[in-house]
Amino acid sequence: MAKKRPQTKAGKQQLKDGEIPVVGAREPCPCGSGRRYKACHGRAAAQAVTELVQRPFEGLAGECDWVALRELVPAATAGLALKGGLPEGVPSVTLATVLPMAWPALRRDDGSVLLALQNDTSSGDLSRDLADTLSRALEAEPGTPVAARRVPADGPRLQDLLDTEAPFEPVVHSGFEFWVPDSENATAEVSASLERANEAAIPTALLSGVDAAYWCETPEKNHLRWVMPHAEEQLLDALARLHAAGESSLGEGTRLVGSFRAHGLMVPVWDLPSPMGADDCEKPAAAFAERLAKALASDAPLTAEERRARGGLTNRQVTLS
């Protein structure tokens, strides 16, 4: 026979929902219900932590570049501006794609903070995870890394901590020497991590004439991966119109081959011939941006040929996150 759950005694002071502390999943819930925490108030907390936020960077300046640095770019940094300015003793806060030994963040000896973007996170809200790491890094002792941890479900998000009006300006690096001010005097562990990272990095460059378009070089061919802010269905229609009209390429020997879906945004991808470098992409990309703007403005129904082109683009779409 199943045991009856003990009843809460009448007149016992009850905690309000906002006052329920986090305890072990199998411990009695502090609200006094007699149930285990995981079956009571812990259920809502667990759901809040695991629920996926489709666009974690929405509302931040440079959302498309945040997505690119999270998913596509090996080595890059960007300065971050905090609401209300930097705390005393923190000369700068810098976002980095990755840090040595996969540290979530690092408080340098001079008090400056490096925040890593490409680490695994504990919840479904990447913005909340990063904000928690950033908050702890700002308070960490100089010269120490910040460890990963389970993030509170009601903690702040990046949108709460960062100045969303400040420009977001990524700088793409050829390697990871930005990890340490003096790489020659780095520890053996950091030096080994730096060497491995540099060997694995794919040469990448950010185009200057259009937003969030990144050229990269691979052994067989080069690629252009362009994070776009437009609504997915509208963008697919526009790309289909251009593809059906033979206007979706970036010039001779190039081809629109599909797209990624990452953090709620689409990332069209072009194959490029090996001799085509980043500088060679500038004019064709700017011309494509003009064609795309016209296609996005059209509200005419898709033709049969355009629908076939759209279906092909959809079939070649890969979800990264």
Side-chain angles (χ1 to χ4, degrees):
M1 175 181 277
K3 294 182 179 179
K4 293 183 179 180
R5 293 193 181 103
Q7 299 297 313
T8 303
K9 294 182 180 180
K12 182 177 180 180
Q13 184 179 4
Q14 299 298 302
L15 293 172
K16 297 178 181 178
D17 287 349
E19 298 174 337
I20 301 299
V22 176
V23 299
R26 300 178 67 84
E27 295 179 27
C29 186
C31 75
S33 66
R35 292 180 291 175
R36 290 177 176 174
Y37 178 71
K38 69 176 183 179
C40 192
H41 281 84
R43 180 179 299 172
Q47 181 177 358
V49 168
T50 58
E51 188 174 356
L52 179 64
V53 175
Q54 296 292 337
R55 289 180 62 179
F57 307 120
E58 185 176 14
L60 295 176
E63 180 187 5
C64 293
D65 287 302
W66 278 88
V67 171
L69 266 57
R70 167 70 182 182
E71 299 295 342
L72 307 175
V73 183
T77 56
L80 298 179
L82 305 185
K83 288 183 178 179
L86 294 169
E88 184 177 356
V90 181
S92 65
V93 175
T94 302
L95 183 73
T97 46
V98 292
L99 292 176
M101 277 76 77
W103 290 330
L106 171 66
R107 182 85 184 271
R108 281 177 162 165
D109 291 334
D110 65 355
S112 60
V113 168
L114 288 177
L115 175 68
L117 182 57
Q118 293 184 9
N119 290 68
D120 292 336
T121 54
S122 62
S123 81
D125 187 351
L126 181 55
S127 176
R128 196 180 308 281
D129 292 331
L130 290 168
D132 179 78
T133 302
L134 174 57
S135 297
R136 291 186 290 124
L138 292 171
E139 298 177 354
E141 290 294 324
T144 59
V146 176
R149 75 169 188 180
R150 180 181 175 185
V151 176
D154 58 350
R157 307 180 74 240
L158 287 175
Q159 290 81 348
D160 302 317
L161 301 183
L162 301 183
D163 180 356
T164 56
E165 299 300 321
F168 184 76
E169 301 174 339
V171 177
V172 178
H173 303 277
S174 59
F176 295 88
E177 282 72 21
F178 64 85
W179 280 353
V180 286
D182 184 6
S183 58
E184 293 183 358
N185 294 323
T187 65
E189 190 177 22
V190 170
S191 296
S193 183
L194 178 61
E195 183 177 354
R196 289 193 300 270
N198 282 340
E199 289 177 353
I202 296 174
T204 302
L206 172 62
L207 300 195
S208 60
V210 295
D211 292 334
Y214 291 80
W215 169 93
C216 68
E217 179 184 11
T218 63
E220 296 182 358
K221 62 184 68 175
N222 299 338
H223 304 279
L224 185 71
R225 300 178 290 188
W226 193 340
V227 187
M228 296 187 172
H230 317 291
E232 181 173 329
E233 296 302 314
Q234 181 187 17
L235 180 55
L236 279 170
D237 283 352
L239 292 174
R241 296 181 196 279
L242 295 177
H243 200 65
E247 298 180 340
S248 64
S249 76
L250 298 176
E252 184 178 356
T254 71
R255 186 168 67 99
L256 175 64
V257 293
S259 64
F260 299 121
R261 184 191 290 112
H263 304 290
L265 298 181
M266 268 187 62
V267 188
V269 179
W270 285 262
D271 277 352
L272 312 173
S274 294
M276 190 171 184
D279 291 341
D280 301 321
C281 292
E282 293 285 0
K283 287 185 178 179
F288 178 84
E290 293 182 2
R291 298 196 300 272
L292 180 63
K294 293 179 181 179
L296 286 166
S298 175
D299 58 1
L302 295 181
T303 65
E305 187 176 359
E306 290 168 345
R307 289 197 299 272
R308 285 193 293 271
R310 193 185 194 281
L313 290 170
T314 303
N315 290 338
R316 297 194 297 274
Q317 193 174 47
V318 176
T319 300
L320 295 182
S321 59

